């Protein structure tokens, strides 16, 4: 029998989706599960946008332009003016979700064996996309006790080698909820300029900042040739399944390469682009309401978590995640146990074990990511479950002991 | 300024989309262009399928399963029964067009530097996908004079080295319109079994066979562990922009790897999948009508082309392409000239120069691919233009002479 490639075998399963079989079993056994594990908002997609999509009358769903629909790209340009970024049409590519944008960016910046510097913990799929692009991740560790703040520029410079090609940030941060400000970004822009690198910034959570304004790295026009931004309508417009994202760069060589890659896969999904057009058309009021809702949930979750003995957490500044340290030896084991062995009035919860967000997995061994993507009542009920579960969970038992 | 990667720079522009700026200029100058260059059918998408999509009432467009919607996968299973293939759910993955399916298949089969054997001429984007996957193409040349028939197994075996991982076929063929029959496929299945390789078959044109029945490589159950099929709704249901394709394999290791890759990019486009569900639900009558229309166009085009002095062509058995040799020194130059210098009653045409379909580009120097995706009247008017253009085009002029 022919075997798959070594790189295929070496690719990891998604750490977030890995517990799904246990969740399905729990649900099949009649328990209801609070899904705090993934970034799937429960907020409706803009109704006017869905109505627009459903009112179209095209009769042939043709290939569109590889770079995306012109009207949509124009709306992205308009949208970014709010963030003090003046973009030209050539700088904006529509992608199949931010996922594709990550993939295109890594290919355009890096050759096999090149290095990508990323503050950890980071969005788990950066690992997978680096792997399929044959790119090596060099992590710069940040920690919960410091609310995952940006390390000093020296920490990044210490990682730079002849193979370094880019620094990748997620701002606001998934899984940390941290927000890098203007000064943070300028510091890193100076580093990439000095060392002739790219700064790739994943800004998909940019609307969800609760304490201070968001600064887009695209607002620093003088660094445009160093900057690549990844964006998406998935979170902002609660349209995860539409698969519409963006890659934006003022670097002409990057544009040229992305253009060729975009031609190769023909075009982004047509219906998702139609939805996106209407989202941007009608979206400001919708976004402002969503921000208020998430701001409220942040408080609800933070206050409720603070009541749990032995749990370490902080108030995140942005996005809709909270990284939490638990008083357990192995958070992955605890998350599995929640699904296999625990219930409270027929309910349990699903959390994302944090080790998948770390390059050095041990660093996340006692942490979980909690997404506040459910409404207040459900969030509170879920935290009640968590509190009880921590009391009932046999803390002293390590994963190795359980499986023996 | 930071530079793009070497592999990004080395990626070629799509040879089919490369003439588009000239076509846009021609259109901007008021000439109407018959687009015979791309596989974008003018046949309407199934109206009931569009109506179904537009009648949905979901309020949140969530992430779907990474492997695709269960209902859609079930319909793919049902659909393939027609082709004597008994598939299980685990064998079917929904992808973002066949484009993504190619990419997933190459990654799952090949490590960097591995070799992929492909009969040339082949779908031009196989080159690009091989390049971004760091896979080397080893071509087995077929020729117009033999209607691009399958070479003897010895020709394939002569290409096999320690780095060979798979043979890739397009059946029915783009750009050739050839159809490999049951015996052809069995011959190659024996080759891949003997040498422990995969046989990857791109079957996106399978419905469009005009003289004999189509044989899916999935119908050979005893070779299931060697087979990967790529498919799509783009051509069958004239839904190119929906971006819905399929990767199908009975090899469990391939399933496992594709599953991990699918998780990485989260899920295929939701709306496209909804459309696909309704296409399969209502589609048989629609497909039968489309086949008759293309069968008619094949005749129309073939007979009209035969009237042109010095032109070499044959009657294709399947798909909706015809490879044609022209009495010109450089077909790419001729195709460009059609757009920049030629008009007949305000009209011109766009063809796909064939050199982009060859690994050995010189072999396609005098050939073009003609797609019969327009209705009879337009096809005939386009061939009229072609006939006149060949008379007016300064044949003796080579590309080098023209640009000097």
């Amino acid at each position: 029998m022919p075997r798959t490639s070594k790189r295929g075998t070496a690719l990891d399963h998604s750490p977030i989706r890995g517990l799904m079989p246990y969740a399905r079993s729990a649900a099949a056994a009649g328990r209801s599960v609070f899904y705090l594990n993934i970034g799937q908002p429960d907020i409706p997609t803009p109704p006017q946008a869905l109505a627009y999509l459903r009112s179209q009358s095209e009769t042939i769903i043709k290939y569109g332009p590889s770079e995306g629909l012109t009207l949509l790209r124009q709306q992205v340009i308009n949208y970014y003016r709010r963030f003090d970024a003046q973009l030209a049409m050539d700088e904006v590519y529509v992608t199949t979700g931010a996922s594709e944008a990550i993939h295109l960016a890594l290919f355009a910046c890096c050759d096999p064996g090149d290095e990508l510097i990323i503050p950890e913990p980071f969005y788990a799929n950066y690992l997978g996309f680096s792997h399929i692009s044959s790119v090596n991740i060099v992590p710069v560790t940040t920690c919960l006790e410091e609310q995952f703040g940006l390390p000093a520029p020296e920490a990044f410079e210490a990682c730079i080698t002849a193979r370094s090609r880019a620094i990748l940030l997620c701002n606001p941060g998934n899984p940390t909820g941290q927000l890098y400000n203007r000064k943070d970004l300028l510091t890193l822009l100076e580093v990439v300029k000095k060392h002739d690198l790219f700064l790739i910034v994943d800004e998909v959570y940019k609307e969800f900042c609760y304490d201070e304004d968001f600064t887009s790295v695209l607002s620093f026009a003088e660094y445009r040739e160093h900057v690549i931004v990844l964006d998406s309508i998935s979170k902002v417009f609660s349209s995860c399944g539409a698969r519409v994202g963006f890659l934006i760069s003022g670097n002409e060589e990057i544009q040229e390469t992305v253009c060729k890659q975009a031609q190769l896969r023909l075009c982004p999904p047509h219906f998702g682009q139609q939805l996106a057009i209407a989202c941007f058309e009608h979206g400001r009021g919708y976004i402002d309401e969503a921000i208020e809702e998430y701001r409220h949930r942040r408080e609800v979750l933070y206050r409720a978590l603070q009541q749990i003995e032995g749990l370490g957490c902080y108030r995140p500044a942005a996005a809709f995640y909270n990284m939490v340290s638990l008083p357990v030896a192995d958070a992955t084991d605890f998350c599995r146990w929640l699904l296999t062995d625990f219930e409270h009035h027929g309910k349990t919860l699903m959390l994302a074990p944090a080790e998948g967000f770390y390059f050095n997995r041990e660093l996340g061994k006692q942490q979980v990511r909690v997404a506040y993507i459910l409404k207040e009542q459900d969030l509170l009920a879920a935290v009640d479950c968590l509190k009880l579960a921590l009391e009932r969970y046999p803390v002293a038992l390590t994963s190795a002991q359980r499986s023996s």
Side-chain angles (χ1 to χ4, degrees), chain A:
Chain A
M1 189 185 87
R3 312 298 301 260
T4 61
S5 60
K6 293 187 197 80
R7 60 182 170 182
T9 306
L11 180 62
D12 278 333
H13 270 283
S14 160
I16 306 176
R17 296 195 163 210
L19 291 176
M20 277 310 291
Y22 301 102
R24 279 195 284 265
S25 297
R31 282 182 291 157
S32 76
V33 180
F34 294 113
Y35 293 96
L36 302 185
N37 60 308
I38 58 164
Q40 169 56 64
D42 69 343
I43 290 182
T45 306
Q48 301 106 315
L50 284 166
Y52 172 83
L53 171 70
R54 290 165 182 159
S55 70
Q56 296 301 298
S57 57
E58 292 158 295
T59 56
I60 313 181
I61 306 306
K62 296 187 179 181
Y63 289 123
S66 297
E67 58 271 29
L69 295 174
T70 305
L71 179 53
L72 178 54
R73 295 164 81 204
Q74 185 57 55
Q75 285 177 314
V76 170
I77 292 170
N78 299 345
Y79 172 76
Y80 267 88
R81 292 210 181 101
R82 183 184 171 86
F83 300 101
D84 295 322
Q86 311 300 323
L87 305 175
M89 189 69 87
D90 288 346
E91 300 179 44
V92 179
Y93 287 83
V94 183
T95 59
T96 306
S99 298
E100 188 187 41
I102 300 170
H103 188 216
L104 298 183
L106 294 191
F107 180 85
C109 294
C110 304
D111 281 303
D114 282 347
E115 293 166 0
L116 184 65
I117 300 168
I118 319 182
E120 72 175 340
F122 48 71
Y123 174 49
N125 283 352
Y126 293 160
L127 260 178
F129 282 111
S130 297
H131 176 76
I132 67 168
S133 306
S134 304
V135 170
N136 298 321
I137 288 180
V138 178
V140 175
T141 303
T142 70
C143 67
L144 191 143
E145 293 70 27
E146 293 167 7
Q147 302 190 16
F148 300 107
L150 194 72
E154 293 75 22
F156 287 89
E157 292 197 290
C159 297
I160 295 174
T161 73
R163 297 307 301 264
S164 304
R165 299 292 295 151
I167 297 172
L168 169 57
L169 302 179
C170 187
N171 188 39
N174 171 10
T176 63
Q178 106 294 329
L179 179 67
Y180 301 136
N181 62 24
R182 194 161 191 84
K183 188 163 150 287
D184 293 332
L185 293 172
L186 257 179
T187 304
L188 286 187
L189 286 166
E190 280 303 315
V191 171
V192 296
K193 189 163 190 180
K194 180 173 160 193
H195 297 276
D196 213 23
L197 308 176
F198 290 101
L199 183 61
I200 307 171
V201 187
D202 177 343
E203 296 190 348
V204 306
Y205 295 98
K206 75 163 115 22
E207 292 286 356
F208 307 116
C209 299
Y210 311 116
D211 302 321
E212 41 180 310
D213 284 348
F214 172 74
T215 302
S216 171
V217 74
L218 292 169
S219 63
F220 301 91
E222 64 276 31
Y223 295 92
R224 61 194 293 129
E225 296 191 324
H226 291 267
V227 167
I228 301 173
V229 159
L230 317 172
D231 203 350
S232 161
I233 66 163
S234 294
K235 313 295 175 176
V236 181
F237 294 114
S238 195
S239 301
C240 299
R243 312 312 296 133
V244 173
F246 308 100
L247 184 151
I248 304 169
S249 179
N251 182 300
E252 287 182 17
E253 280 199 11
I254 292 291
Q255 291 166 23
E256 173 82 4
T257 296
V258 170
C259 173
K260 294 186 289 186
Q261 293 174 278
Q263 287 178 351
L264 187 57
R265 58 61 159 140
L266 305 174
C267 67
H270 178 74
F271 299 115
Q273 290 187 86
Q274 283 191 327
L275 183 82
I277 285 170
C279 283
F280 283 112
E281 185 74 25
H282 297 291
R284 199 62 242 170
Y286 170 91
I287 295 172
D288 290 338
E289 273 183 40
I291 294 170
E292 284 317 304
E293 176 62 26
Y294 286 121
R295 191 197 306 273
H296 176 66
R297 291 176 182 183
R298 172 183 70 150
E299 288 306 309
V300 167
L301 179 68
Y302 176 61
R303 285 188 200 161
L305 289 174
Q306 276 187 307
Q307 306 307 314
I308 299 180
E309 180 87 17
L311 181 148
C313 72
Y314 57 96
R315 177 199 264 130
F320 38 66
Y321 302 107
N322 211 337
M323 284 281 272
V324 171
S325 74
L326 299 178
V328 299
D330 181 341
T332 300
D333 182 74
F334 175 70
C335 291
R336 195 186 307 116
W337 177 86
L338 281 173
L339 296 167
T340 54
D341 287 66
F342 175 81
E343 72 167 292
H344 174 54
H345 297 322
K347 296 185 164 62
T348 187
L349 75 159
M350 188 166 179
L351 300 167
E355 59 181 8
F357 301 113
Y358 285 87
F359 187 83
N360 305 296
R361 296 174 68 95
E362 276 296 314
L363 295 175
K365 192 95 180 173
Q366 296 184 278
Q367 297 173 9
V368 293
R369 185 191 69 176
V370 187
Y372 41 101
I373 38 64
L374 302 183
K375 57 180 183 288
E376 175 168 7
Q377 187 188 338
D378 290 342
L379 273 182
L380 289 173
V383 175
D384 276 349
C385 278
L386 175 60
K387 187 164 186 283
L388 261 169
L390 285 168
E391 287 163 15
R392 290 196 208 153
Y393 179 66
V395 185
L397 225 53
T398 67
S399 177
Q401 288 167 324
R402 287 186 62 85
S403 61
S404 67

